[in-house]
Amino acid sequence: MTTEQRTFMQVARAFLDREVIPRRMEWDRRESVDRGVIAALGELGFFGITFPQEYGGSGGDNVMYAIAMEELGRADSSVRGIVSVSSGLAGKIILAFGTHEQKQQWLPGICAGTTLACFGLTEPDYGSDPGSLATTAVRDGSDYLLTGQKMFITNASWSQVCVVFARTGGPGPKGISAFLVPLDAPGVRTREIHGKLGLRGQVTSEIYLQDVRVPAEAMLGEEGQGFSIAMYSLDKGRVSVGAGCVGIMAGCLEESVRYAQERTQFGRPLAAFQLVQSMIADISTETDVARMLVWRAADLIDRGEPFGTEASKAKLYASEAAVRAANQSVQVFGGYGYVDEYPAQKYLRDARVMTLYEGTSQIQRLLIGRAETGVSAFLSPGA
Ligand SMILES: Cc1cc2nc3c(=O)[nH]c(=O)nc-3n(C[C@H](O)[C@H](O)[C@H](O)COP(=O)(O)OP(=O)(O)OC[C@H]3O[C@@H](n4cnc5c(N)ncnc54)[C@H](O)[C@@H]3O)c2cc1C
């Protein structure tokens, strides 16, 4: 870690220890984080880390971004998700593919955290196979009319803008384009999904689009480029999810060690029992492995080298290891790990989704397998 990265980590951790960790269970129970904290994270620069200063970013590198995501994941994955979807998934697409006007319109607000953005790829019938998505965008004079439904969209009900992927051409990935759709446009409706296992503090919604009119200038990138744009974004997003998982694991380690030192049974602290130490040793070792995989992928991005397979490996390993770590942490806490007075069960519930979204573990294995063998197991043409 460089001095700058270490300083950022210390400032971030001090803020999150003070403002997020003491309140995360309350937010989890009421299914909503405090919006004031999101605004404060914007002021502290969490949303703009890898963005140029001209848009209000700090021009930091991707390792710095991974450190920020780890700290957010250690504190509360719901908060991490709000930041990483808005600035990481949606914002980075606008930076990479947006026109001058699109960047001017959306990036300053996204970097400041005053505008939230979301990423609308998944549909009710197309999750792992987004290349087949059914939402349509039909040309109407100088506009497009978008109609369809998006599913499980993080931030949607809180966002001002969504990157919507819709079909402008024939079947398959090459018929998909991306659009910047203001969520207050006539014809847009969102519906919050409640009762999630984890990530309860962040809003996840369905988006309904009925003849939503956007000007042709709202298209992001070229017509037919939408699928590549989505994959570009998800590759980077996987590093962010992986980093968030490292944060979950670091939190599990810290809390498990503290509890094992404080709690006594048989007249000795739990930490003195070798079988308890064994669980803690596994969490500690897997945390280090996951962090190294995440940082390798982040460093490759910073060097401008190919990183997609490394991002998949980081996400695959870190997400599955986070579930193992959180499960072990519940075990270290015993019965107290099963109730929400202690953080172990929240880490486990939050970790569980990490193997599902931004490409399930099976999809990561297919991507890694394709890179290793040169043979695609995907059925979608061109996926
Ligand atoms: C809390 C939450 C937040 C989310 N946020 C967003 C968001 O912001 N934007 C967005 O666009 N999406 C979002 N998603 C959607 C998420 O990315 C999808 O749920 C995910 O891609 C899986 O799709 P699915 O749920 O339709 O499962 P399916 O694709 O139906 O998969 C079900 C099972 O089948 C397996 N499977 C599918 N295809 C194959 C195959 N070819 N080979 C082997 N196994 C296969 C999967 O691995 C999985 O185990 C979110 C989901 C959740 C739960």
Side-chain angles (χ1 to χ4, degrees), residues 74-91:
R74 169 184 167 272
D76 187 347
S77 290
S78 288
V79 177
R80 201 270 308 159
I82 293 169
V83 176
S84 70
V85 168
S86 186
S87 68
L89 278 188

Side-chain angles (χ1 to χ4, degrees), residues 131-198:
S132 301
L133 61 77
T135 295
T136 55
V138 177
R139 187 87 195 210
D140 183 35
S142 58
D143 299 333
Y144 280 91
L145 290 174
L146 277 72
T147 298
Q149 187 182 343
K150 296 292 172 181
M151 188 69 188
F152 294 132
I153 308 304
T154 303
N155 286 350
S157 307
W158 287 11
S159 289
Q160 284 74 42
V161 63
C162 182
V163 181
V164 174
F165 297 89
R167 192 163 296 287
T168 48
K174 293 189 172 65
I176 297 171
S177 302
F179 294 88
L180 284 165
V181 179
L183 289 175
D184 59 359
V188 178
R189 194 164 56 84
T190 63
R191 192 186 73 84
E192 291 185 16
I193 298 167
H194 290 284
K196 300 198 297 284
L197 178 66

Side-chain angles (χ1 to χ4, degrees), residues 119 121-122 127-128 152-154 353 356-358 360 362 366:
F119 179 84
L121 182 64
T122 303
S128 299
F152 294 132
I153 308 304
T154 303
V353 78
L356 297 173
Y357 71 6
E358 300 201 27
T360 65
Q362 287 72 30
L366 293 182

Side-chain angles (χ1 to χ4, degrees), residues 24 49 80 97 118 126 195-196 233 241 289-290 295 298 308 313 315 326 341 355 380:
R24 61 187 173 189
I49 293 170
R80 201 270 308 159
F97 299 97
C118 59
Y126 302 102
K196 300 198 297 284
S233 184
V241 174
V289 176
W295 284 24
K313 289 180 184 176
K315 199 260 181 187
E341 292 297 313
T355 69
S380 275

Side-chain angles (χ1 to χ4, degrees), residues 249-250 252-257 259-260 269-288 321-335 344:
M249 298 170 80
C252 288
L253 177 63
E254 203 178 307
E255 299 286 350
S256 300
V257 168
Y259 188 78
L270 298 180
F273 301 121
Q274 288 177 336
L275 291 178
V276 174
Q277 284 195 13
S278 167
M279 292 190 275
I280 288 172
D282 285 349
I283 298 173
S284 175
T285 305
E286 295 203 39
T287 305
D288 286 355
V323 175
R324 285 194 293 274
N327 204 26
Q328 293 277 49
S329 184
V330 170
Q331 197 68 18
V332 171
F333 274 79

Side-chain angles (χ1 to χ4, degrees), residues 30-372:
R30 75 174 195 209
E31 293 192 46
S32 175
V33 308
D34 187 331
R35 301 261 204 133
V37 163
I38 303 304
L41 289 171
E43 283 167 23
L44 284 169
F46 274 85
F47 284 86
I49 293 170
T50 56
F51 290 82
Q53 290 176 349
E54 63 178 302
Y55 302 116
S58 55
D61 59 24
N62 283 278
V63 174
M64 178 88 91
Y65 183 69
I67 291 167
M69 292 304 117
E70 176 177 335
E71 290 306 317
L72 288 170
R74 169 184 167 272
D76 187 347
S77 290
S78 288
V79 177
R80 201 270 308 159
I82 293 169
V83 176
S84 70
V85 168
S86 186
S87 68
L89 278 188
K92 282 180 187 169
I93 300 187
I94 301 173
L95 182 65
F97 299 97
T99 60
H100 176 71
E101 290 72 25
Q102 288 169 335
K103 291 180 194 175
Q104 292 294 336
Q105 183 178 5
W106 297 111
L107 289 184
I110 289 174
C111 289
T114 50
T115 295
L116 283 184
C118 59
F119 179 84
L121 182 64
T122 303
E123 300 185 355
D125 293 333
Y126 302 102
S128 299
D129 181 19
S132 301
L133 61 77
T135 295
T136 55
V138 177
R139 187 87 195 210
D140 183 35
S142 58
D143 299 333
Y144 280 91
L145 290 174
L146 277 72
T147 298
Q149 187 182 343
K150 296 292 172 181
M151 188 69 188
F152 294 132
I153 308 304
T154 303
N155 286 350
S157 307
W158 287 11
S159 289
Q160 284 74 42
V161 63
C162 182
V163 181
V164 174
F165 297 89
R167 192 163 296 287
T168 48
K174 293 189 172 65
I176 297 171
S177 302
F179 294 88
L180 284 165
V181 179
L183 289 175
D184 59 359
V188 178
R189 194 164 56 84
T190 63
R191 192 186 73 84
E192 291 185 16
I193 298 167
H194 290 284
K196 300 198 297 284
L197 178 66
L199 297 187
R200 296 169 77 100
Q202 68 172 225
V203 70
T204 309
S205 308
E206 293 172 71
I207 303 180
Y208 299 88
L209 305 149
Q210 184 61 56
D211 294 324
V212 178
R213 184 174 290 279
V214 294
E217 295 76 47
M219 185 183 280
L220 198 52
E222 305 290 323
E223 183 168 343
Q225 203 187 358
F227 189 79
S228 325
I229 291 176
M231 294 306 117
Y232 165 91
S233 184
L234 288 174
D235 275 350
K236 288 195 169 173
R238 285 166 189 156
V239 182
S240 171
V241 174
C245 291
V246 177
I248 290 176
M249 298 170 80
C252 288
L253 177 63
E254 203 178 307
E255 299 286 350
S256 300
V257 168
R258 183 184 305 134
Y259 188 78
Q261 287 169 339
E262 287 169 0
R263 169 85 171 167
T264 57
Q265 288 293 289
F266 302 97
R268 307 178 70 195
L270 298 180
F273 301 121
Q274 288 177 336
L275 291 178
V276 174
Q277 284 195 13
S278 167
M279 292 190 275
I280 288 172
D282 285 349
I283 298 173
S284 175
T285 305
E286 295 203 39
T287 305
D288 286 355
V289 176
R291 186 181 290 115
M292 283 191 263
L293 287 172
V294 167
W295 284 24
R296 176 179 70 166
D299 185 53
L300 286 171
I301 303 175
D302 288 331
R303 290 169 190 272
E305 292 179 23
F307 66 93
T309 307
E310 287 75 12
S312 283
K313 289 180 184 176
K315 199 260 181 187
L316 171 64
Y317 183 82
S319 60
E320 297 198 341
V323 175
R324 285 194 293 274
N327 204 26
Q328 293 277 49
S329 184
V330 170
Q331 197 68 18
V332 171
F333 274 79
Y336 296 96
Y338 200 65
V339 293
D340 73 2
E341 292 297 313
Y342 292 89
Q345 52 77 39
K346 179 176 184 310
Y347 279 129
L348 179 58
R349 289 187 289 106
D350 288 345
R352 194 60 193 81
V353 78
M354 309 293 169
T355 69
L356 297 173
Y357 71 6
E358 300 201 27
T360 65
S361 284
Q362 287 72 30
I363 295 301
Q364 304 311 325
R365 287 189 167 89
L366 293 182
L367 291 168
I368 298 163
R370 181 175 69 179
E372 293 291 352

